Amino acid sequence: MNNHGRELYYGLIRMHVLLHARQEPVFGLAMMEELGRHGYRIGPGTLYPLLHGLERTGLLRSFFDSVGGRRRRLYKITSAGKKALDKARVKVDELHRELHEAHPRRISGLRNAGA
Ligand SMILES: [Zn+2]
């Protein structure tokens, strides 16, 4: 992912992780594949720090378990994570509406700005 994408997509990727971790415990490799399916090419050097960050801020909690005979660190959402995801969803819905408006609201109060 290039730096422009990084700036814009990180919040979306975090939300993505949270929504899947709400459904079931997730581990890094499966999450990378899922993100790839959505067109985010994200490697372990990016995803693992992101997962650790979500754990450090209390939105995810990790534990070890075996998945297909391999010991994996799994992440599940916390109750704080669920609340954060619910609030973020409202914001994404609002952003989505505005992104698709033909004429987003002018905010500068200038009459002929950019004309
Ligand atoms: Zn997904």
Side-chain angles (χ1 to χ4, degrees):
M1 200 180 337
N2 67 34
N3 287 329
H4 301 125
R6 200 169 298 233
E7 285 297 318
L8 287 175
Y9 296 155
Y10 270 19
L12 301 178
I13 290 169
R14 287 192 179 88
M15 286 189 69
H16 223 95
V17 168
L18 289 176
L19 85 87
H20 286 288
R22 179 176 213 156
Q23 186 71 18
E24 60 182 346
V26 297
F27 57 96
L29 183 63
M31 202 59 237
M32 270 183 271
E33 287 172 3
E34 169 63 11
L35 289 166
R37 201 176 64 77
H38 287 288
Y40 300 104
R41 292 177 57 187
I42 179 169
T46 300
L47 183 66
Y48 287 103
L50 190 149
L51 290 170
H52 297 158
L54 287 170
E55 182 166 31
R56 200 168 49 244
T57 52
L59 303 182
L60 291 178
R61 183 173 303 128
S62 72
F63 60 101
F64 285 95
D65 203 350
S66 92
V67 179
R70 288 202 55 179
R71 192 169 143 81
R72 300 276 193 192
R73 185 193 282 271
L74 292 158
Y75 294 85
K76 58 193 289 187
I77 200 167
T78 63
S79 58
K82 288 178 191 167
K83 278 184 202 144
L85 182 59
D86 285 342
K87 285 187 178 176
R89 178 164 40 207
V90 173
K91 297 213 178 295
V92 167
D93 288 346
E94 187 180 320
L95 175 62
H96 181 260
R97 274 194 300 276
E98 192 162 23
L99 277 171
H100 290 276
E101 278 173 17
H103 303 288
R105 205 164 71 86
R106 289 180 176 274
I107 60 171
S108 295
L110 303 172
R111 283 261 161 230
N112 296 307

